[in-house]
Amino acid sequence: MAEVTLTPKGEIGIMVEAEAITPDTFAGKSASEIGDLLVWQGPKELPLSNFFDVKGDGGATAEETSIVVGGDVPRVKRIGNGMTAGKITINGSAGMHVGSEMSGGEITVNGDVNSWAGMEMKGGLLHITGNAKDHAGCAYRGSWHGMTGGRLVIDGDADSQVGGGMSGGEIEVLGSVQNFCGIRQNGGLIIIRGDAVRGVGAEMNGGTIVVGGSITNFLAGFEQVGSESDLLLDGVTCPGEFLKFSGDNAIIAWTKGTLYASKNANEGL
């Protein structure tokens, strides 16, 4: 696999819209041609080489192209946006919209990410080793459907509205989440290994959410329908005892979602 290395040249003031940083765009291009690709910074289009030193040529295809970003790029947005194949490794933190609308390939962020990571993912793997801000795996504002496929893994914590509008795919957060995880979910699987604050599964009418820790404010629209132990969901194991709920009954829908909450961590439910 051909490897292209992007080394940040320094601190960035105005955020850069860099959806050009994908294996699909880099494939078949030399290092010089990659450096000439245009990205937006405010009202101006500027060459990628203004912000990165570029080393290495792209592969013949996206599948044969690997991109390594060598450092923190918290003010570079849309890395991996819409990618279909190949690999991106970011050795540091990344800006907003990393992996948005990706349908294939693999992105690893060895750090934290800003909001909208994996927005409306269709396929592939997005792995974040740190924490994520709001709207990870969520639908874009005004859209009803978030992730439809793929896998999003967050090793740390995530903020609010994880998986909002999710229709398919899988999200796993090894840490805890804030508010309205799985809001309007209608398909797919969300697993939270830690705690959740409030609004879990609000307005959901399909899909599955598992919370391995405590839920601070549990919604009244969920009805307990049983209990299960040592879950196996889409090949993912969730050990322990869980209370099983159906909901959200606060909305009118023919179908309901399934919410599992740790029995030991939620004795008051």
Side-chain angles (χ1 to χ4, degrees):
M1 179 177 279
E3 183 174 287
V4 179
T5 301
L6 303 178
T7 304
K9 286 188 170 181
E11 291 188 13
I12 294 173
I14 299 172
M15 287 192 181
V16 174
E17 304 272 348
E19 55 263 64
I21 302 178
T22 67
D24 301 77
T25 305
F26 284 13
K29 293 182 174 64
S30 66
S32 176
E33 291 171 321
I34 291 169
D36 289 339
L37 291 170
L38 296 177
V39 295
W40 284 97
Q41 186 182 44
K44 297 180 180 179
E45 279 190 297
L46 300 168
L48 188 63
S49 59
N50 276 27
F51 307 100
F52 295 95
D53 289 320
V54 182
K55 181 180 178 181
D57 303 331
T61 65
E63 189 174 10
E64 298 172 286
T65 302
S66 172
I67 301 171
V68 177
V69 180
D72 290 315
V73 284
R75 301 191 66 78
V76 180
K77 300 164 60 175
R78 299 189 181 278
I79 295 175
N81 196 119
M83 68 182 280
T84 66
K87 186 174 182 180
I88 298 176
T89 303
I90 302 172
N91 290 320
S93 296
M96 297 170 68
H97 289 280
V98 63
S100 288
E101 300 179 282
M102 67 183 293
S103 60
E106 179 179 338
I107 300 176
T108 300
V109 182
N110 292 313
D112 300 330
V113 297
N114 211 315
S115 301
W116 302 102
M119 183 203 77
E120 299 187 4
M121 279 181 68
K122 302 175 180 67
L125 170 64
L126 173 55
H127 182 192
I128 298 156
T129 66
N131 303 314
K133 294 291 188 183
D134 296 328
H135 308 296
C138 195
Y140 193 67
R141 297 193 190 281
S143 172
W144 286 97
H145 296 286
M147 283 180 65
T148 56
R151 188 164 188 260
L152 169 58
V153 179
I154 301 168
D155 290 352
D157 299 327
D159 287 349
S160 297
Q161 297 196 31
V162 172
M166 184 179 187
S167 297
E170 177 188 320
I171 298 175
E172 183 174 10
V173 180
L174 276 60
S176 298
V177 297
Q178 294 293 316
N179 307 308
F180 296 103
C181 173
I183 186 171
R184 298 190 310 277
Q185 183 181 356
N186 56 83
L189 172 64
I190 301 175
I191 297 174
I192 309 301
R193 301 289 183 180
D195 303 325
V197 178
R198 67 184 178 103
V200 178
E203 300 183 8
M204 76 182 295
N205 63 7
T208 302
I209 301 175
V210 180
V211 180
S214 65
I215 301 175
T216 303
N217 295 308
F218 195 79
L219 288 175
F222 282 84
E223 174 188 10
Q224 187 174 351
V225 294
S227 60
E228 295 182 19
S229 299
D230 299 330
L231 306 177
L232 179 61
L233 303 167
D234 295 342
V236 182
T237 57
C238 300
E241 293 184 79
F242 291 87
L243 303 173
K244 183 178 181 180
F245 297 87
S246 176
D248 182 357
N249 293 309
I251 62 170
I252 299 173
W254 292 107
T255 59
K256 300 296 180 184
T258 300
L259 169 60
Y260 292 98
S262 168
K263 182 177 180 180
N264 292 336
N266 297 280
E267 294 181 355
L269 296 183

